[in-house]
Amino acid sequence: MASVRVRDLRQALEAVDYPAGKDQLLARAEHHCAGEDVLRALRSLPPVRYRDLEEVVRSVDVELGPGPPPQQADPGRKPGADRVAERLR
C-alpha cells in the first residue's frame, strides 16, 4: 500500500464531526476533493468508528514528513545499559 502524507489526510478530514465511521470519513474526503492516495488509504480502513483524527492517522500507512531521521540504537551500547543503577533501587 502506498503511504499518504499526514498533511493531506488532515486537510481532507477537516471539519469531521467525531466519532465518525469509515463512510463518513470517505464522504468528507471526497467532499474536499482529496487525492486518490488519501481515498485509497481511507478505503483500506476497518469499518469501525474513529474517536478522533489522531486515531485515523494511526490507522493508515502515513508518510513521515521531512525532519530528522528516527534515532537508531547505539550499536556499541551494552544490553541493559539503560537500566537504573542497583544503588538507586
Side-chain angles (χ1 to χ4, degrees):
M1 170 196 314
S3 59
V4 62
R5 293 187 312 199
V6 175
R7 182 185 74 206
D8 294 340
L9 190 60
R10 287 183 189 279
Q11 197 171 30
L13 298 178
E14 66 185 7
V16 169
D17 188 23
Y18 292 95
K22 176 181 174 175
D23 293 337
Q24 291 171 291
L25 298 174
L26 273 166
R28 178 54 66 178
E30 288 169 349
H31 176 76
H32 278 102
C33 301
E36 188 56 39
D37 56 340
V38 171
L39 295 174
R40 190 175 315 117
L42 293 174
R43 287 184 194 116
S44 72
L45 289 173
V48 298
R49 293 188 66 72
Y50 294 88
R51 291 178 295 211
D52 54 28
L53 179 60
E54 296 310 312
E55 191 171 47
V56 176
V57 169
R58 287 190 306 268
S59 299
V60 297
D61 184 21
V62 294
E63 215 177 83
L64 296 176
Q71 290 187 343
Q72 300 294 320
D74 181 0
R77 189 176 186 148
K78 295 179 182 174
D82 58 343
R83 295 190 180 164
V84 178
E86 268 309 305
R87 61 184 169 85
L88 296 178
R89 288 187 186 177

